[in-house]
């Protein structure tokens, strides 16, 4: 009895000292599907909406990608383009942007609302794209605010940072040394990325132009993801090359391919 109590006490202490990242590491889904701007296309929800994020979670995607920008008064919002229905995001306040709703009636979503939604479950992660803003200074300020929000909400295990701005990725790496970070731009070699501890999340055509990229990156421990892959043939090709994640507007199709691969036992 005494041994049992000691063992249970030890397990309790170990559990308490584990970082949240360790606790959740094994929980997230292992498929390679990242729903691009949420699962919007076949669900008739707006891109970059809370509804499309919820649909990606409901489908069982390993990841859901969103685009994040900062308003002139420092609010982090989801928006792909530099304007929200004609209103420039980083030179207007949140109050000015919220006047125009998404087609489903949602206000322009805030990052904290989406992080709260993600934290209700531990299967789907967030691929958080940090958009380059109108000046480098604003971009770096938005990086600081985003990382601070993710950290303070205890959302670190859910977040995979991506950006076309290499300086933004380096800033995330400086602020959060252990989080997954990947560059979208396609211009860095596996060696450069390995030196900066940054992954590659490149347009699928980049891998055709550089046929040895994936193999080299894997040898160097650089993660490899591809975007935006919507045809079944292209998905098959990237699955064969065992990239880590594939971003797509057709998550249902890619999920069905994952299910087929698992059934046939072809993928390790
Ligand atoms: Mg994006």
């Amino acid at each position: 009895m005494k041994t049992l109590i000691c063992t249970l006490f030890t397990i309790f202490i170990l559990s308490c000292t584990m970082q949240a990242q360790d606790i959740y590491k094994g929980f997230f889904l292992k498929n390679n599907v990242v729903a691009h701007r949420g699962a919007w296309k076949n669900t008739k929800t707006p891109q970059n909406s809370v509804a499309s994020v919820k649909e990606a979670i409901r489908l069982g995607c390993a990841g859901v990608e969103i685009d994040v920008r900062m308003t002139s008064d420092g609010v982090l919002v989801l928006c792909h383009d530099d304007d929200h229905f004609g209103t420039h995001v980083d030179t207007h306040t949140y109050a000015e942007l919220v006047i125009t709703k998404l087609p489903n009636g949602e206000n322009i979503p805030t990052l904290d609302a989406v992080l709260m939604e993600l934290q209700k479950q531990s299967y789907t992660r967030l691929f958080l794209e940090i958009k380059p803003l109108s000046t480098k200074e604003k971009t770096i300020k938005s990086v600081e605010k985003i990382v601070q929000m993710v950290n303070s909400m205890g959302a670190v295990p859910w977040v995979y940072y991506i950006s076309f701005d290499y300086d933004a990725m380096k800033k995330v790496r400086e602020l959060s040394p252990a989080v997954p970070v990947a560059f979208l731009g396609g211009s860095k070699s596996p060696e450069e990325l390995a030196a900066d501890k940054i992954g590659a999340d490149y347009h699928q055509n980049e891998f055709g132009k550089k046929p040895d990229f994936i193999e080299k990156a894997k040898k160097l421990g650089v993660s490899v993801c591809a975007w935006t892959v919507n045809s079944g043939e292209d998905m098959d090709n990237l699955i064969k090359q065992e990239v880590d994640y594939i971003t797509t507007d057709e998550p249902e199709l890619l999920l069905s391919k994952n299910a087929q691969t698992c059934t046939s036992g072809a993928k390790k």
Side-chain angles (χ1 to χ4, degrees), residues 72-112:
S72 64
D73 54 344
V75 179
L76 300 167
V77 294
L78 274 59
C79 190
H80 178 266
D81 297 336
D82 58 14
D83 72 284
H84 173 65
F85 297 101
T87 306
H88 194 256
V89 175
D90 73 48
T91 54
H92 287 81
T93 63
Y94 178 72
E96 288 169 318
L97 292 162
V98 86
I99 293 166
T100 311
K101 295 188 184 295
L102 299 185
N104 67 344
E106 280 183 40
N107 289 336
I108 184 169
T110 55
L111 178 60
D112 58 342

Side-chain angles (χ1 to χ4, degrees), residues 166 187-200 202 210 212-224:
Y166 201 70
S187 59
K188 299 287 181 187
S189 68
E191 291 79 8
E192 288 171 300
L193 293 166
D196 290 329
K197 296 187 174 60
I198 291 174
Y202 284 1
K210 305 161 190 154
D212 58 348
F213 185 96
I214 294 177
E215 198 183 331
K216 267 191 190 173
K218 282 184 182 174
K219 276 187 189 153
L220 292 167
V222 172
S223 63
V224 182

